[in-house]
Amino acid sequence: MRVLPLYVVLGGWLSMPALAADAGAWMDRLATAEQKQSYAGTFVYERNGSFSSHAVWQRVEGGRVQERLLQLDGPPAEVVRVDGQVQCATDELAAQFREAQAWHGQRLDPKALSEWYEFRVIGDSRVAGRSAVALAVTARDQHRYGFELHLDRDTGLPLKSLMLNEKGQLLERFQFTRFTADPVDEQLLKPSAVCKDIAVVARDATPDSAWHSDWLPPGFELLDANERPSPASPETVAWLSYGDGLAKFSVFLEPLRGALVEDARSQMGPTVAVSKRISTADGDVMVTVVGEIPLGTAERVALSMRYGAEQAQE
Amino acid sequence: MSREALHESLSAVMDNEADELELRRMLAGDNPELRATWSRYQLARAAMHKELIEPRLDIAAAVSAALADEAAPAQPRRSGWKGLGRLAVAASVTVAVLAGVRLYNQNEVAGPQLAQQAAQPSISVPQASQGSTVLAGYSEGQAEVPAQTAADSAPIERWHEERLPSYVRQHAQQAAFGSGSESALPYARAASMEER
């Protein structure tokens, strides 16, 4: 273990490519560790206007991954998952669940990600009393945010993640305050009484929608799509979800039926929400883009949504 | 103001004897020399307080920028300026300094200094609850949230208010639970959206 820090230091001296390769190796470790390693701990989450603490237990046995998350302050939000599928959740978190993608579907794929993000080892750090390596995950274009990731040297798991905007300002902090990689007792994975069983909505193998986007930031693909009743009217809202493997955003489209509504935008820490009115042959539609992407990117996506075979009408 | 007078004001600011108006007047001017002096004073004070400060950070410039931004909304409402305006200026000065501290903290030093500096925001929190201008300043300028308040355009804004929470929740849930296993981060994001 003593050799690693030295390697990092030497790597910094000798060449940048070596450093990048080292970062890639760490990302590979992270990708496999999340499915193999049992661990338990508590972490804090902070974004503009919100601070909360949570406990997490993950137990891996015979290839089966059980995971329990519990908010420790405020309402006891709780989720239990087995192999990525939600088993139970508290009311607040559980309005409706879509079936999770196949277990091997959307894993962290460092190789694919490296096309949109640059990984670099930036130094040693210490988180939750454990020795960690700090990686800079820098966006290669202006359409996504960068991260600073601190990975546990023993397990490769993320002990700390900072999301940064293009100016280097902190948008959110995820940080363990206590972490153990010891085997986890099965009792600790048992959901509490407030955790209610979830009916999972099945999903199509290939997402499909009458809507599509004329423009997407490079690397983003359609992950899911469906239609739901509007939370505030009898209309049906089309919903599309996109991701680049790390960042995600959702697009909601609700017919206005002549209603006078202005455009709007707001930001909650890393999450931006942009609403834009667009015209279709069927009348005006309000497009709302919600996600962890820069404001400008969200606006451009909103203005690029088209219904059916309609083309850009500039 | 003469150079002497400026530097005198600067000392007063450092000794917390000057009010925000004075600080505002001093840093609003385009005077790199004065800013440099202020940065040096800051550094000296930090050293005295055994705080760690990143010397490369031009905190004076950040504060100055914050003040410049503040000037616009404060002007037209002469009456409210005395109360809210002053608080707003004070809050955004704190934020500008904090932003510098945060930037520095990303290099990650030992815990005690971190805790010591992190104590600062608590001073401005009570102020933050006093008005939307202050809140916007407090959020590091990212929350250029619609300036229209509920009173301005109630029926139109309602449309968004009725939908946005549900949209945000649906997005957070999909991000957290819709794609097989991932880290606990998207879950924490989803949980944070539930807080009021």
Side-chain angles (χ1 to χ4, degrees), chain A residues 30 34 38-46 52-58 67-69 72 126-130 132 150-152 155-162 173-181, chain B residues 108 182-185 187-188:
Chain A
L30 168 64
E34 288 194 338
S38 292
Y39 67 91
T42 55
F43 62 85
V44 293
Y45 176 78
E46 176 206 3
S52 53
S53 55
H54 308 259
V56 58
W57 298 268
Q58 175 165 301
E67 193 184 10
R68 181 177 168 224
L69 291 145
L72 297 174
R126 188 167 165 272
V127 183
R130 294 172 72 92
H150 296 240
L151 304 183
D152 185 36
T155 64
L157 284 166
L159 295 178
K160 171 172 165 179
S161 161
L162 306 175
R173 171 193 299 268
F174 164 88
Q175 183 168 342
F176 272 95
T177 57
R178 193 181 60 79
F179 183 93
T180 70
Chain B
E108 213 49 77
E182 249 186 286
S183 74
L185 181 53
Y187 147 81

Side-chain angles (χ1 to χ4, degrees), chain A residues 111-187:
Chain A
K111 207 171 216 157
L113 283 179
S114 66
E115 202 172 332
W116 319 114
Y117 298 89
E118 184 191 341
F119 303 104
R120 201 158 40 86
V121 171
I122 52 175
D124 297 322
S125 82
R126 188 167 165 272
V127 183
R130 294 172 72 92
S131 168
V133 59
L135 304 183
V137 180
T138 322
R140 292 190 191 274
D141 61 24
Q142 76 276 28
H143 297 305
R144 59 213 93 213
Y145 292 130
F147 292 84
E148 189 181 303
L149 275 182
H150 296 240
L151 304 183
D152 185 36
R153 282 203 176 273
D154 277 354
T155 64
L157 284 166
L159 295 178
K160 171 172 165 179
S161 161
L162 306 175
M163 190 192 270
L164 309 165
N165 70 6
E166 68 286 353
K167 292 180 203 141
Q169 290 168 322
L170 187 62
L171 297 178
E172 72 172 5
R173 171 193 299 268
F174 164 88
Q175 183 168 342
F176 272 95
T177 57
R178 193 181 60 79
F179 183 93
T180 70
D182 300 332
V184 177
D185 191 274
E186 188 149 23
Q187 285 300 313

Side-chain angles (χ1 to χ4, degrees), chain B residues 7-8 14-15 17 44 55 84 96 127 129 159 161:
Chain B
H7 282 256
E8 211 168 280
M14 291 308 297
D15 297 337
E17 281 166 10
L84 185 68
Q127 300 169 342
S129 63
W159 195 93
E161 280 167 20

Side-chain angles (χ1 to χ4, degrees), chain B residues 61-100:
Chain B
V63 172
S64 180
L67 288 169
D69 287 347
E70 209 60 58
Q75 283 295 4
R77 355 183 351 195
R78 270 273 178 268
S79 56
W81 176 193
K82 269 267 177 243
L84 185 68
R86 282 173 66 98
L87 285 174
V89 171
S92 43
V93 168
T94 314
V95 165
V97 173
L98 250 180

Side-chain angles (χ1 to χ4, degrees), chain A residues 196-256:
Chain A
K196 292 178 186 154
D197 288 358
I198 294 296
V200 175
V201 182
R203 61 195 277 164
D204 308 325
T206 47
D208 189 34
S209 172
W211 288 90
H212 72 276
S213 180
D214 262 3
W215 178 86
L216 283 173
F220 279 83
E221 288 171 19
L222 185 64
L223 302 177
D224 199 359
N226 79 341
E227 294 189 336
R228 292 183 188 193
S230 163
S233 78
E235 298 294 337
T236 299
V237 179
W239 165 68
L240 299 96
S241 164
Y242 296 90
D244 72 348
L246 217 50
K248 281 180 184 162
F249 65 85
S250 294
V251 183
F252 300 88
L253 304 114
E254 180 163 349
L256 283 169

Side-chain angles (χ1 to χ4, degrees), chain A residues 34 45 47-48 50 52 54 69-71 79 81 86 92-93 95-97 100-101 103 148 160-161 163-164 168-169 171-172 174 203 228 231-233 239 241 248-250 252 254 256 260-262 264-266 271 275 286 290-292, chain B residues 99 102-103 105-108 114 138-146 148 153 155-157 159-160 162-164 166-185 187-195:
Chain A
E34 288 194 338
Y45 176 78
R47 65 166 171 87
N48 181 17
S50 170
S52 53
H54 308 259
L69 291 145
L70 175 68
Q71 184 164 337
V79 177
R81 285 187 287 185
V86 177
E92 302 81 41
L93 287 171
Q96 188 186 8
F97 273 105
Q101 267 164 8
W103 180 225
E148 189 181 303
K160 171 172 165 179
S161 161
M163 190 192 270
L164 309 165
Q169 290 168 322
L171 297 178
E172 72 172 5
F174 164 88
R203 61 195 277 164
R228 292 183 188 193
S233 78
W239 165 68
S241 164
K248 281 180 184 162
F249 65 85
S250 294
F252 300 88
E254 180 163 349
L256 283 169
L260 275 177
V261 184
E262 282 178 21
R265 56 188 202 178
S266 56
T271 308
S275 296
M286 186 58 83
V290 179
E292 289 73 39
Chain B
R102 283 212 193 107
L103 205 60
N105 280 347
Q106 277 150 28
N107 294 345
E108 213 49 77
L114 239 160
Y138 188 70
S139 57
E140 296 184 313
Q142 291 151 28
E144 286 125 34
V145 189
Q148 321 107 306
S153 46
I156 293 172
E157 287 313 300
W159 195 93
H160 292 294
E162 284 169 353
R163 287 159 178 83
L164 207 52
S166 164
Y167 288 173
V168 168
R169 177 176 302 149
Q170 193 176 338
H171 164 74
Q173 282 176 358
Q174 145 67 20
F177 311 116
S179 53
S181 176
E182 249 186 286
S183 74
L185 181 53
Y187 147 81
R189 242 178 242 150
S192 90
M193 293 301 178
E194 301 303 327
E195 279 180 13

